[in-house]
Amino acid sequence: MIRTATPADVPVIRAMIRELAEYEKALDEARATEEQLREALFGERPAAYAHIAETEDGEPVGFALWFLNFSTWRGVRGIYLEDLYVRPERRGGGHGKALLTELARICVERGYERLEWSVLDWNEPSIAFYRSLGAVPQDEWTVFRLTDGALGELGAPSR
């Protein structure tokens, strides 16, 4: 079952974010607090949205956290999937596909023309799964990121 996340889901979303970060070998970078997530997902102006995958008995086993983007080429919004995670012991049960299916449904219903996400180059199981759904890698693009000191230095007020 897939459902829209509620404020009561914030602790489990944070826990799964940390599990995902550990899987991606970057646990020290997962610093978001429950308060930050609650504000981002359920504040006055949400920055992101989330869906929860549950078992038949209501146990949360996965989540998708996403936000809206915009394509200047297409002229319409799309969804950027920030995180898709299913707990290891529940993988293979269709939860990941169900989460992506729900996001694709939202795109179609709202007239969005893209559903995009990033995957680590070494994550072959996920890459194979995404390809099986018809997703196409954008190999010609390289992701760039500014954080921490480099971001602060570039964004510092001129003196």
Side-chain angles (χ1 to χ4, degrees), residues 66-69 77-81 102-104 106-107 110 112-117:
W66 55 278
F67 55 88
L68 297 176
N69 60 14
R77 289 182 170 189
I79 287 178
Y80 186 85
L81 175 61
E102 176 62 9
L103 297 185
I106 291 168
C107 285
R110 297 180 186 177
Y112 303 162
E113 294 190 16
R114 288 182 178 168
L115 171 56
E116 297 179 309
W117 62 92

Side-chain angles (χ1 to χ4, degrees), residues 25-77:
K25 302 173 185 146
L27 183 57
D28 59 322
E29 294 179 42
R31 300 182 296 218
T33 66
E34 286 185 21
E35 294 77 24
Q36 288 172 315
L37 291 170
R38 190 170 287 104
E39 179 63 26
L41 294 169
F42 305 106
E44 188 176 318
R45 297 182 68 200
Y49 308 91
H51 284 78
I52 302 292
E54 291 182 329
T55 61
E56 289 181 11
D57 62 355
E59 175 194 355
V61 296
F63 80 104
L65 194 142
W66 55 278
F67 55 88
L68 297 176
N69 60 14
F70 181 79
S71 169
T72 57
W73 290 17
R74 300 269 177 130
V76 296
R77 289 182 170 189

Side-chain angles (χ1 to χ4, degrees), residues 18-27 85 88 91 120 122-126:
R18 294 186 57 75
E19 291 169 24
L20 174 60
E22 186 171 25
Y23 173 76
E24 292 182 350
K25 302 173 185 146
L27 183 57
Y85 180 73
R91 292 182 187 152
L120 291 166
W122 56 260
N123 193 344
E124 289 298 328
S126 293

